[in-house]
Amino acid sequence: MNQLALRPLARSLDPLPGESLAGFLLRLTYRMGSTPHRVASLCGLTCRSDSIPQEQLRGLSPEAIEQLARAANLTVPEVQALTLQSLTSTYPPLARLRAGKADIGSKLNINWAVNPDSRYCPHCLRGNGSPVQEAFGGAWQLRWHLPIVFACTQHSCLLENTCPRCTQPLSGRVITRYSLVQIPHVSGLHPGQCRNRAPGPPPKPRARAVPCGARLDAPRDVAAALSPLDMQHVLGLQHNLNLRLAPGQLSNTADGQTPHTYFPDLITTARLITLSWPRGASLLPSTTLADLVDEYATAYLHNPSQRRPQIRRSAPRSTAQTSALLLAAATALGDRDLVPLRERIEPLARELYRRSTSSGNKLFRDSDVSSTLLRATAQRIYGFQNRSTLRVVPDSYRFLTDEIPPLLPREWFDAYFQPLLHRLPQLTPILERHLRWAGSLRLAELVCGQKWQVCAEALGIPENSALRTMNVLGKQLTAPGLWPLFEDAVDLVAHNLHGQDHRVDYAHRRRSTAEWRLSLADWKALCEGIPGLEQRQATGDPRVGEAVIWSMVNQASYLHSPTLTHRRSSADSPRRVTEQTGLFANRTQRRPSYVILRTRLAAGAAHLARACDEGSDLRIEVPNWASTTAVQQKDHVR
């Protein structure tokens, strides 16, 4: 290690709040009357003959941090705060950058991670009037390198991104590489002066480059890009984004959920708006803002050389365009509540998939966005979301697939499905049954992450029934966009089941009752003394009661009972057995005799369920019902 680099500098400066490594180097250079290249070398930074590699802005090695701290008389936290590494915890796109790569230029603008060009606020560069900032200028803010920072909330203005004289971006580009500062061998420039090469023919070999030298911190009289009302909107957004960039400030933002996914959600939504433009124009409060997005989106959406829309993975250079695009994205996201989010964003996703399915799939592939956004934009194919990343990781819930009732209990259905039912034009018994089946299939999907056909087998539901359910609900829920309401309802059921301390092992009950039979004697005893059922008592088929009791014990549909799927074929009229079973299984049945028999079947089912759970004798107890029949009939009449 160069011993000279370890020697403390004769003079140094305290970093300003939020200052970048490049800005600190410019101020320190100006104070010392040296060149940026010389000072960077004395501070232990990596230097090439013509540049100071910009990848050091992303982060420094422990050795480089220690050396810079020693040379500039700084603390280690002060040095770390000069690099983008300090923002990786709150701005996830930075964390996706591959460490050690020298190409921090245009490739690192991919995924909106870094702006190699620094934006700036002229008022901030003038300083706050203190003696130090009066002499050396204000801070070049580290955040100005983030694509999502487009305005200065302190001075209520959009950031600038080019020099007012040479009109070039402040990129620090040297051929194909990027430098922390331009022309680093030139001294004497104030930190607020433009270090771009002056316009004109390229300098002769070995000739010293001539800088532009324009003052970037000078007051300028330019027409406002946005109206006062539009500025109010974008400044409010920038304030919210600034809070999200500050550790510990999430509680002060508009929503306090999933902080690590907000920026990926915002950026992905901005891309979605661009690719589906102009479908998202209504998200913006003015035509001026919509025109700014149109300028950005139209340039490549209508490129005749492209056969399909291409995903533009870099942010706009213009801060006005950036502010408009991000405002539209933030409006589309809202508070990221699933149902209203899908209503806002699903038309954009549908338009993108209409233009190019591959572009739509690519946009969300290998993404860090939230499962809520994935669910809101996912194409539904008859109830199955065609995106593996949407499936809940197994073990997210305490309950097992064996503990899921094959037919969602009616009390759960009534308690949690009302928001969905209010949106349906009509709830028929068949549709209700399919919704209850689908609720159980979705619960199983949450646990095991498999398709509904696979989940059906685990729940004892025939695969063709699951396919039928997917088709029925696909027609009812897809067009009006009701899948999020369905999923919300099932999520509530899942949380309820997750919180239960004692859950039923329905798989064990199904195994225990697979060969269970209701004897003819028990059937006659169940029908005894009920006026109107004398003929059923004498000649009725016990398979009817057997299927009803099985369905009650297993919280399943009588249609899937072993009685009706395997044993009804031996009956004289198999179809009639199914029809009669449906009469007694129907809870809305008003015929007094049927109501009484159903009450007795429910009592027998409760006894059989306890026997299954306890592993005791599966014979049901049939008491003497004759004494209570008259009372039951009288109560029913009342």
Side-chain angles (χ1 to χ4, degrees):
M1 182 178 293
N2 190 333
Q3 294 300 316
L4 183 61
L6 293 174
R7 184 183 303 168
L9 299 174
R11 290 175 289 178
S12 187
L13 286 169
D14 292 331
L16 299 176
E19 188 171 28
S20 71
L21 179 61
F24 177 73
L25 181 62
L26 287 174
R27 291 196 312 118
L28 186 58
T29 294
Y30 186 65
R31 185 185 187 195
M32 295 183 65
S34 185
T35 68
H37 195 279
R38 174 61 176 166
V39 174
S41 298
L42 293 175
C43 289
L45 298 178
T46 300
C47 295
R48 297 191 181 96
S49 60
D50 58 351
S51 64
I52 307 167
Q54 199 187 59
E55 64 261 28
Q56 295 172 104
L57 184 65
R58 283 159 43 200
L60 298 171
S61 67
E63 294 79 11
I65 291 175
E66 182 182 352
Q67 196 164 351
L68 176 56
R70 181 189 297 270
N73 194 27
L74 305 178
T75 65
V76 168
E78 285 176 330
V79 174
Q80 291 173 329
L82 295 171
T83 70
L84 293 169
Q85 186 67 34
S86 61
L87 294 172
T88 54
S89 62
T90 54
Y91 191 61
L94 286 173
R96 292 175 63 89
L97 298 179
R98 286 181 289 180
K101 290 291 183 179
D103 51 352
I104 194 171
S106 58
K107 289 185 178 180
L108 294 191
N109 200 13
I110 289 175
N111 297 321
W112 291 51
V114 174
N115 277 335
D117 312 334
S118 179
R119 297 166 174 175
Y120 65 96
C121 169
H123 307 284
C124 290
L125 293 184
R126 279 201 298 274
N128 59 8
S130 67
V132 172
Q133 295 193 32
E134 188 71 27
F136 308 115
W140 283 87
Q141 291 288 322
L142 183 65
R143 292 185 181 187
W144 292 344
H145 282 280
L146 298 182
I148 50 94
V149 177
F150 49 81
C152 175
T153 56
Q154 180 181 355
H155 298 103
S156 301
C157 64
L158 292 174
L159 299 180
E160 303 290 339
N161 62 296
T162 59
C163 169
R165 180 191 294 172
C166 69
T167 70
Q168 299 178 70
L170 309 179
S171 63
R173 184 164 184 166
V174 181
I175 309 177
T176 60
R177 295 192 179 102
Y178 283 77
S179 178
L180 275 177
V181 298
Q182 270 280 41
I183 49 177
H185 291 289
V186 171
S187 62
L189 288 178
H190 185 274
Q193 284 184 276
C194 175
R195 301 186 69 91
N196 286 328
R197 296 177 186 272
K204 297 179 180 179
R206 299 181 181 274
R208 185 174 294 276
V210 178
C212 168
R215 290 296 292 244
L216 304 174
D217 55 358
R220 58 187 70 182
D221 185 16
V222 295
L226 300 177
S227 69
L229 184 58
D230 286 343
M231 276 301 301
Q232 181 180 345
H233 287 302
V234 300
L235 288 173
L237 173 61
Q238 186 66 77
H239 175 72
N240 185 270
L241 298 182
N242 290 345
L243 290 176
R244 292 180 181 278
L245 288 171
Q249 292 295 316
L250 185 63
S251 59
N252 296 323
T253 59
D255 71 313
Q257 59 169 323
T258 51
H260 62 286
T261 62
Y262 181 80
F263 284 117
D265 280 3
L266 184 70
I267 293 166
T268 300
T269 303
R271 291 178 184 162
L272 175 60
I273 290 170
T274 305
L275 289 167
S276 60
W277 189 258
R279 285 303 297 268
S282 60
L283 295 166
L284 290 165
S286 73
T287 56
T288 301
L289 292 169
D291 289 343
L292 288 168
V293 178
D294 190 69
E295 293 172 6
Y296 172 69
T298 305
Y300 69 95
L301 279 180
H302 298 159
N303 188 340
S305 65
Q306 296 176 350
R307 300 173 60 183
R308 60 173 61 93
Q310 300 295 311
I311 298 177
R312 192 166 188 174
R313 301 176 67 189
S314 58
R317 275 194 166 182
S318 162
T319 54
Q321 291 179 354
T322 303
S323 68
L325 182 58
L326 290 181
L327 181 62
T331 303
L333 285 177
D335 59 4
R336 293 188 292 170
D337 185 56
L338 177 61
V339 175
L341 172 61
R342 180 164 175 81
E343 291 177 351
R344 291 188 300 269
I345 212 167
E346 193 273 337
L348 308 181
R350 186 170 62 248
E351 174 63 18
L352 172 57
Y353 279 110
R354 185 191 67 79
R355 295 180 184 181
S356 172
T357 301
S358 62
S359 295
N361 292 335
K362 185 177 180 181
L363 178 63
F364 296 99
R365 188 184 304 137
D366 188 30
S367 178
D368 292 331
V369 302
S370 66
S371 61
T372 302
L373 181 60
L374 288 175
R375 289 170 62 184
T377 57
Q379 289 182 300
R380 262 81 170 175
I381 302 178
Y382 297 120
F384 175 63
Q385 296 173 325
N386 190 27
R387 195 175 291 152
S388 60
T389 53
L390 293 177
R391 304 192 192 113
V392 177
V393 177
D395 297 331
S396 295
Y397 294 97
R398 289 196 302 164
F399 60 87
L400 307 175
T401 307
D402 290 351
E403 297 168 337
I404 298 173
L407 182 66
L408 203 69
R410 183 177 293 274
E411 53 269 27
W412 295 359
F413 184 76
D414 292 342
Y416 300 114
F417 276 67
Q418 292 305 313
L420 172 61
L421 302 184
H422 290 324
R423 296 283 294 274
L424 291 172
Q426 183 180 10
L427 180 65
T428 64
I430 293 177
L431 179 57
E432 177 184 316
R433 185 165 64 231
H434 282 293
L435 282 171
R436 291 171 65 189
W437 273 333
S440 294
L441 291 168
R442 172 65 176 168
L443 284 175
E445 182 190 358
L446 293 176
V447 174
C448 63
Q450 299 295 323
K451 296 181 179 181
W452 283 9
Q453 300 97 304
V454 179
C455 296
E457 181 181 358
L459 297 180
I461 301 174
E463 182 179 339
N464 61 343
S465 293
L467 293 172
R468 174 65 178 159
T469 292
M470 292 162 68
N471 278 276
V472 169
L473 296 189
K475 295 173 183 177
Q476 295 287 335
L477 305 185
T478 300
L482 298 180
W483 283 113
L485 281 173
F486 166 80
E487 292 166 357
D488 270 1
V490 179
D491 285 345
L492 293 174
V493 174
H495 287 299
N496 175 49
L497 188 57
H498 173 82
Q500 293 180 8
D501 293 327
H502 303 288
R503 291 180 287 273
V504 175
D505 188 341
Y506 289 102
H508 173 71
R509 285 189 181 182
R510 290 195 296 273
R511 291 191 297 269
S512 300
T513 57
E515 301 298 329
W516 175 81
R517 304 290 183 91
L518 178 66
S519 68
L520 181 59
D522 286 341
W523 170 249
K524 290 183 177 181
L526 286 166
C527 296
E528 182 180 2
I530 302 178
L533 295 186
E534 293 86 358
Q535 186 65 30
R536 292 184 183 278
Q537 182 183 18
T539 62
D541 195 331
R543 290 179 180 86
V544 172
E546 183 177 287
V548 175
I549 290 176
W550 181 93
S551 68
M552 293 176 173
V553 170
N554 292 284
Q555 286 285 356
S557 171
Y558 67 90
L559 295 172
H560 300 156
S561 66
T563 307
L564 298 187
T565 56
H566 303 308
R567 297 197 283 269
R568 72 171 183 161
S569 58
S570 61
D572 295 335
S573 302
R575 183 173 180 179
R576 182 174 175 80
V577 172
T578 303
E579 292 173 351
Q580 294 298 316
T581 303
L583 291 176
F584 293 115
N586 186 358
R587 289 183 58 180
T588 62
Q589 178 61 251
R590 293 181 177 274
R591 190 170 175 177
S593 59
Y594 285 16
V595 173
I596 295 171
L597 179 56
R598 179 179 170 81
T599 301
R600 294 183 180 185
L601 293 173
H607 176 82
L608 182 60
R610 288 193 298 271
C612 288
D613 296 340
E614 296 169 1
S616 57
D617 192 342
L618 297 184
R619 288 180 299 179
I620 66 171
E621 293 182 357
V622 182
N624 182 4
W625 297 99
S627 61
T628 59
T629 300
V631 176
Q632 290 173 335
Q633 287 181 315
K634 186 176 180 180
D635 289 342
H636 180 75
V637 171
R638 289 177 181 174

PDB file of all heavy atoms in Angstrom, residues 29 67 87 101-102 174 181 184 221 253 266 284 293 310 315 343 363 403 507 521 533 558 565 582 598:
ATOM      1  N   THR A  29     -11.072  19.322  -3.407  1.00  0.00           N
ATOM      2  CA  THR A  29     -10.099  19.724  -4.435  1.00  0.00           C
ATOM      3  C   THR A  29     -10.003  21.244  -4.526  1.00  0.00           C
ATOM      4  O   THR A  29      -8.912  21.819  -4.605  1.00  0.00           O
ATOM      5  CB  THR A  29     -10.533  19.132  -5.791  1.00  0.00           C
ATOM      6  OG1 THR A  29     -10.452  17.715  -5.736  1.00  0.00           O
ATOM      7  CG2 THR A  29      -9.648  19.643  -6.909  1.00  0.00           C
ATOM      8  N   GLN A  67      -8.727   3.970   4.221  1.00  0.00           N
ATOM      9  CA  GLN A  67      -7.701   4.871   3.715  1.00  0.00           C
ATOM     10  C   GLN A  67      -8.264   6.284   3.503  1.00  0.00           C
ATOM     11  O   GLN A  67      -7.619   7.288   3.848  1.00  0.00           O
ATOM     12  CB  GLN A  67      -7.152   4.321   2.394  1.00  0.00           C
ATOM     13  CG  GLN A  67      -5.834   4.961   1.980  1.00  0.00           C
ATOM     14  CD  GLN A  67      -5.137   4.155   0.912  1.00  0.00           C
ATOM     15  OE1 GLN A  67      -5.551   3.046   0.597  1.00  0.00           O
ATOM     16  NE2 GLN A  67      -4.073   4.708   0.360  1.00  0.00           N
ATOM     17  N   LEU A  87     -27.652   3.554   0.575  1.00  0.00           N
ATOM     18  CA  LEU A  87     -29.064   3.604   0.195  1.00  0.00           C
ATOM     19  C   LEU A  87     -29.615   2.244  -0.228  1.00  0.00           C
ATOM     20  O   LEU A  87     -30.798   2.142  -0.578  1.00  0.00           O
ATOM     21  CB  LEU A  87     -29.266   4.608  -0.946  1.00  0.00           C
ATOM     22  CG  LEU A  87     -29.005   6.081  -0.600  1.00  0.00           C
ATOM     23  CD1 LEU A  87     -29.042   6.938  -1.860  1.00  0.00           C
ATOM     24  CD2 LEU A  87     -30.032   6.584   0.403  1.00  0.00           C
ATOM     25  N   LYS A 101     -18.244  -4.537 -10.784  1.00  0.00           N
ATOM     26  CA  LYS A 101     -18.312  -4.240 -12.207  1.00  0.00           C
ATOM     27  C   LYS A 101     -17.958  -2.774 -12.449  1.00  0.00           C
ATOM     28  O   LYS A 101     -18.446  -1.887 -11.781  1.00  0.00           O
ATOM     29  CB  LYS A 101     -19.720  -4.524 -12.743  1.00  0.00           C
ATOM     30  CG  LYS A 101     -20.050  -6.019 -12.794  1.00  0.00           C
ATOM     31  CD  LYS A 101     -19.229  -6.713 -13.867  1.00  0.00           C
ATOM     32  CE  LYS A 101     -19.590  -8.182 -13.981  1.00  0.00           C
ATOM     33  NZ  LYS A 101     -18.816  -8.857 -15.031  1.00  0.00           N
ATOM     34  N   ALA A 102     -17.115  -2.548 -13.444  1.00  0.00           N
ATOM     35  CA  ALA A 102     -16.657  -1.195 -13.718  1.00  0.00           C
ATOM     36  C   ALA A 102     -17.659  -0.397 -14.536  1.00  0.00           C
ATOM     37  O   ALA A 102     -17.606   0.822 -14.562  1.00  0.00           O
ATOM     38  CB  ALA A 102     -15.317  -1.233 -14.452  1.00  0.00           C
ATOM     39  N   VAL A 174     -16.035   9.246 -20.001  1.00  0.00           N
ATOM     40  CA  VAL A 174     -14.754   9.278 -20.696  1.00  0.00           C
ATOM     41  C   VAL A 174     -14.753   8.092 -21.661  1.00  0.00           C
ATOM     42  O   VAL A 174     -14.547   6.947 -21.264  1.00  0.00           O
ATOM     43  CB  VAL A 174     -13.559   9.181 -19.727  1.00  0.00           C
ATOM     44  CG1 VAL A 174     -12.252   9.233 -20.500  1.00  0.00           C
ATOM     45  CG2 VAL A 174     -13.625  10.291 -18.696  1.00  0.00           C
ATOM     46  N   VAL A 181     -15.692  12.548 -11.795  1.00  0.00           N
ATOM     47  CA  VAL A 181     -15.743  13.928 -12.275  1.00  0.00           C
ATOM     48  C   VAL A 181     -15.137  13.975 -13.673  1.00  0.00           C
ATOM     49  O   VAL A 181     -14.285  13.149 -14.031  1.00  0.00           O
ATOM     50  CB  VAL A 181     -14.986  14.904 -11.342  1.00  0.00           C
ATOM     51  CG1 VAL A 181     -15.612  14.937  -9.970  1.00  0.00           C
ATOM     52  CG2 VAL A 181     -13.518  14.513 -11.234  1.00  0.00           C
ATOM     53  N   PRO A 184     -10.531  15.260 -14.908  1.00  0.00           N
ATOM     54  CA  PRO A 184     -10.037  15.304 -13.519  1.00  0.00           C
ATOM     55  C   PRO A 184      -8.655  15.923 -13.356  1.00  0.00           C
ATOM     56  O   PRO A 184      -8.227  16.164 -12.228  1.00  0.00           O
ATOM     57  CB  PRO A 184     -10.019  13.821 -13.128  1.00  0.00           C
ATOM     58  CG  PRO A 184      -9.851  13.088 -14.415  1.00  0.00           C
ATOM     59  CD  PRO A 184     -10.579  13.881 -15.432  1.00  0.00           C
ATOM     60  N   ASP A 221     -33.443  32.255 -15.500  1.00  0.00           N
ATOM     61  CA  ASP A 221     -34.810  32.669 -15.786  1.00  0.00           C
ATOM     62  C   ASP A 221     -35.324  31.820 -16.945  1.00  0.00           C
ATOM     63  O   ASP A 221     -35.074  32.112 -18.112  1.00  0.00           O
ATOM     64  CB  ASP A 221     -34.825  34.158 -16.164  1.00  0.00           C
ATOM     65  CG  ASP A 221     -36.249  34.684 -16.357  1.00  0.00           C
ATOM     66  OD1 ASP A 221     -37.181  33.987 -15.895  1.00  0.00           O
ATOM     67  OD2 ASP A 221     -36.399  35.759 -16.962  1.00  0.00           O
ATOM     68  N   THR A 253     -45.064   7.784   5.687  1.00  0.00           N
ATOM     69  CA  THR A 253     -45.461   7.757   4.287  1.00  0.00           C
ATOM     70  C   THR A 253     -46.946   7.460   4.178  1.00  0.00           C
ATOM     71  O   THR A 253     -47.612   7.145   5.147  1.00  0.00           O
ATOM     72  CB  THR A 253     -44.657   6.701   3.515  1.00  0.00           C
ATOM     73  OG1 THR A 253     -44.877   5.421   4.121  1.00  0.00           O
ATOM     74  CG2 THR A 253     -43.177   7.015   3.551  1.00  0.00           C
ATOM     75  N   LEU A 266     -43.269   0.400  -7.941  1.00  0.00           N
ATOM     76  CA  LEU A 266     -43.398   1.685  -8.614  1.00  0.00           C
ATOM     77  C   LEU A 266     -42.732   1.653  -9.986  1.00  0.00           C
ATOM     78  O   LEU A 266     -43.304   2.107 -10.985  1.00  0.00           O
ATOM     79  CB  LEU A 266     -42.780   2.785  -7.744  1.00  0.00           C
ATOM     80  CG  LEU A 266     -42.905   4.219  -8.261  1.00  0.00           C
ATOM     81  CD1 LEU A 266     -44.353   4.698  -8.169  1.00  0.00           C
ATOM     82  CD2 LEU A 266     -41.981   5.152  -7.482  1.00  0.00           C
ATOM     83  N   LEU A 284     -53.254  10.651 -14.855  1.00  0.00           N
ATOM     84  CA  LEU A 284     -52.588  11.931 -14.616  1.00  0.00           C
ATOM     85  C   LEU A 284     -53.597  13.067 -14.541  1.00  0.00           C
ATOM     86  O   LEU A 284     -54.606  13.064 -15.252  1.00  0.00           O
ATOM     87  CB  LEU A 284     -51.564  12.196 -15.724  1.00  0.00           C
ATOM     88  CG  LEU A 284     -50.346  11.258 -15.665  1.00  0.00           C
ATOM     89  CD1 LEU A 284     -49.564  11.300 -16.966  1.00  0.00           C
ATOM     90  CD2 LEU A 284     -49.457  11.623 -14.485  1.00  0.00           C
ATOM     91  N   VAL A 293     -45.357  12.160 -20.584  1.00  0.00           N
ATOM     92  CA  VAL A 293     -45.235  10.709 -20.684  1.00  0.00           C
ATOM     93  C   VAL A 293     -45.330  10.278 -22.143  1.00  0.00           C
ATOM     94  O   VAL A 293     -44.623   9.366 -22.588  1.00  0.00           O
ATOM     95  CB  VAL A 293     -46.313  10.004 -19.837  1.00  0.00           C
ATOM     96  CG1 VAL A 293     -46.220   8.495 -19.991  1.00  0.00           C
ATOM     97  CG2 VAL A 293     -46.175  10.396 -18.371  1.00  0.00           C
ATOM     98  N   GLN A 310     -41.116  -2.951 -26.894  1.00  0.00           N
ATOM     99  CA  GLN A 310     -39.918  -3.355 -26.170  1.00  0.00           C
ATOM    100  C   GLN A 310     -39.929  -2.730 -24.773  1.00  0.00           C
ATOM    101  O   GLN A 310     -40.358  -1.592 -24.596  1.00  0.00           O
ATOM    102  CB  GLN A 310     -38.655  -2.904 -26.923  1.00  0.00           C
ATOM    103  CG  GLN A 310     -38.543  -3.489 -28.324  1.00  0.00           C
ATOM    104  CD  GLN A 310     -38.372  -4.992 -28.296  1.00  0.00           C
ATOM    105  OE1 GLN A 310     -37.530  -5.520 -27.578  1.00  0.00           O
ATOM    106  NE2 GLN A 310     -39.186  -5.683 -29.083  1.00  0.00           N
ATOM    107  N   ALA A 315     -34.654   4.770 -17.023  1.00  0.00           N
ATOM    108  CA  ALA A 315     -35.542   5.881 -16.677  1.00  0.00           C
ATOM    109  C   ALA A 315     -35.375   7.022 -17.676  1.00  0.00           C
ATOM    110  O   ALA A 315     -34.350   7.134 -18.352  1.00  0.00           O
ATOM    111  CB  ALA A 315     -35.219   6.368 -15.274  1.00  0.00           C
ATOM    112  N   GLU A 343     -58.530  -3.055 -10.171  1.00  0.00           N
ATOM    113  CA  GLU A 343     -59.450  -2.282 -11.001  1.00  0.00           C
ATOM    114  C   GLU A 343     -58.717  -1.189 -11.778  1.00  0.00           C
ATOM    115  O   GLU A 343     -59.059  -0.890 -12.923  1.00  0.00           O
ATOM    116  CB  GLU A 343     -60.538  -1.664 -10.124  1.00  0.00           C
ATOM    117  CG  GLU A 343     -61.501  -2.695  -9.536  1.00  0.00           C
ATOM    118  CD  GLU A 343     -62.529  -2.056  -8.614  1.00  0.00           C
ATOM    119  OE1 GLU A 343     -62.377  -0.848  -8.313  1.00  0.00           O
ATOM    120  OE2 GLU A 343     -63.463  -2.757  -8.191  1.00  0.00           O
ATOM    121  N   LEU A 363     -41.995  -8.633 -18.519  1.00  0.00           N
ATOM    122  CA  LEU A 363     -42.019  -7.499 -17.592  1.00  0.00           C
ATOM    123  C   LEU A 363     -42.019  -7.968 -16.144  1.00  0.00           C
ATOM    124  O   LEU A 363     -41.380  -7.350 -15.287  1.00  0.00           O
ATOM    125  CB  LEU A 363     -43.255  -6.639 -17.868  1.00  0.00           C
ATOM    126  CG  LEU A 363     -43.454  -5.431 -16.943  1.00  0.00           C
ATOM    127  CD1 LEU A 363     -42.297  -4.451 -17.089  1.00  0.00           C
ATOM    128  CD2 LEU A 363     -44.771  -4.736 -17.242  1.00  0.00           C
ATOM    129  N   GLU A 403     -56.342 -30.724   6.733  1.00  0.00           N
ATOM    130  CA  GLU A 403     -57.250 -30.033   7.651  1.00  0.00           C
ATOM    131  C   GLU A 403     -58.179 -29.048   6.932  1.00  0.00           C
ATOM    132  O   GLU A 403     -58.858 -28.253   7.573  1.00  0.00           O
ATOM    133  CB  GLU A 403     -56.435 -29.300   8.721  1.00  0.00           C
ATOM    134  CG  GLU A 403     -55.627 -30.249   9.588  1.00  0.00           C
ATOM    135  CD  GLU A 403     -54.593 -29.562  10.457  1.00  0.00           C
ATOM    136  OE1 GLU A 403     -54.176 -28.434  10.108  1.00  0.00           O
ATOM    137  OE2 GLU A 403     -54.199 -30.139  11.486  1.00  0.00           O
ATOM    138  N   ALA A 507     -58.950 -35.490   6.182  1.00  0.00           N
ATOM    139  CA  ALA A 507     -58.418 -36.632   5.430  1.00  0.00           C
ATOM    140  C   ALA A 507     -58.601 -37.922   6.230  1.00  0.00           C
ATOM    141  O   ALA A 507     -58.933 -38.979   5.675  1.00  0.00           O
ATOM    142  CB  ALA A 507     -56.946 -36.403   5.104  1.00  0.00           C
ATOM    143  N   ALA A 521     -81.762 -51.056   8.967  1.00  0.00           N
ATOM    144  CA  ALA A 521     -82.439 -50.890  10.258  1.00  0.00           C
ATOM    145  C   ALA A 521     -82.260 -49.475  10.782  1.00  0.00           C
ATOM    146  O   ALA A 521     -83.207 -48.858  11.300  1.00  0.00           O
ATOM    147  CB  ALA A 521     -81.894 -51.910  11.254  1.00  0.00           C
ATOM    148  N   LEU A 533     -93.276 -39.834   5.636  1.00  0.00           N
ATOM    149  CA  LEU A 533     -92.117 -40.652   5.252  1.00  0.00           C
ATOM    150  C   LEU A 533     -92.370 -42.131   5.519  1.00  0.00           C
ATOM    151  O   LEU A 533     -91.410 -42.914   5.607  1.00  0.00           O
ATOM    152  CB  LEU A 533     -90.858 -40.191   5.999  1.00  0.00           C
ATOM    153  CG  LEU A 533     -90.340 -38.783   5.684  1.00  0.00           C
ATOM    154  CD1 LEU A 533     -89.008 -38.544   6.400  1.00  0.00           C
ATOM    155  CD2 LEU A 533     -90.154 -38.577   4.178  1.00  0.00           C
ATOM    156  N   TYR A 558     -72.197 -34.142  -1.074  1.00  0.00           N
ATOM    157  CA  TYR A 558     -72.737 -35.501  -1.153  1.00  0.00           C
ATOM    158  C   TYR A 558     -72.458 -36.130  -2.519  1.00  0.00           C
ATOM    159  O   TYR A 558     -72.390 -37.354  -2.662  1.00  0.00           O
ATOM    160  CB  TYR A 558     -74.241 -35.481  -0.868  1.00  0.00           C
ATOM    161  CG  TYR A 558     -75.065 -34.767  -1.918  1.00  0.00           C
ATOM    162  CD1 TYR A 558     -75.588 -35.448  -3.000  1.00  0.00           C
ATOM    163  CD2 TYR A 558     -75.332 -33.401  -1.809  1.00  0.00           C
ATOM    164  CE1 TYR A 558     -76.353 -34.789  -3.968  1.00  0.00           C
ATOM    165  CE2 TYR A 558     -76.081 -32.737  -2.765  1.00  0.00           C
ATOM    166  CZ  TYR A 558     -76.582 -33.430  -3.854  1.00  0.00           C
ATOM    167  OH  TYR A 558     -77.321 -32.792  -4.808  1.00  0.00           O
ATOM    168  N   THR A 565     -70.502 -42.148  -5.699  1.00  0.00           N
ATOM    169  CA  THR A 565     -69.459 -42.317  -6.722  1.00  0.00           C
ATOM    170  C   THR A 565     -69.137 -43.778  -6.990  1.00  0.00           C
ATOM    171  O   THR A 565     -68.654 -44.104  -8.073  1.00  0.00           O
ATOM    172  CB  THR A 565     -68.167 -41.597  -6.298  1.00  0.00           C
ATOM    173  OG1 THR A 565     -67.746 -42.074  -5.018  1.00  0.00           O
ATOM    174  CG2 THR A 565     -68.393 -40.088  -6.219  1.00  0.00           C
ATOM    175  N   GLY A 582     -80.076 -35.179  -2.792  1.00  0.00           N
ATOM    176  CA  GLY A 582     -80.043 -33.728  -2.899  1.00  0.00           C
ATOM    177  C   GLY A 582     -81.185 -33.061  -2.158  1.00  0.00           C
ATOM    178  O   GLY A 582     -81.018 -31.968  -1.596  1.00  0.00           O
ATOM    179  N   ARG A 598     -83.744 -34.407   8.193  1.00  0.00           N
ATOM    180  CA  ARG A 598     -82.407 -33.806   8.096  1.00  0.00           C
ATOM    181  C   ARG A 598     -81.832 -33.523   9.473  1.00  0.00           C
ATOM    182  O   ARG A 598     -80.639 -33.705   9.718  1.00  0.00           O
ATOM    183  CB  ARG A 598     -82.468 -32.510   7.282  1.00  0.00           C
ATOM    184  CG  ARG A 598     -81.117 -31.824   7.165  1.00  0.00           C
ATOM    185  CD  ARG A 598     -81.181 -30.557   6.351  1.00  0.00           C
ATOM    186  NE  ARG A 598     -79.929 -29.832   6.482  1.00  0.00           N
ATOM    187  CZ  ARG A 598     -78.825 -30.099   5.804  1.00  0.00           C
ATOM    188  NH1 ARG A 598     -78.810 -31.087   4.924  1.00  0.00           N
ATOM    189  NH2 ARG A 598     -77.734 -29.396   5.990  1.00  0.00           N
TER     190      ARG A 598
END
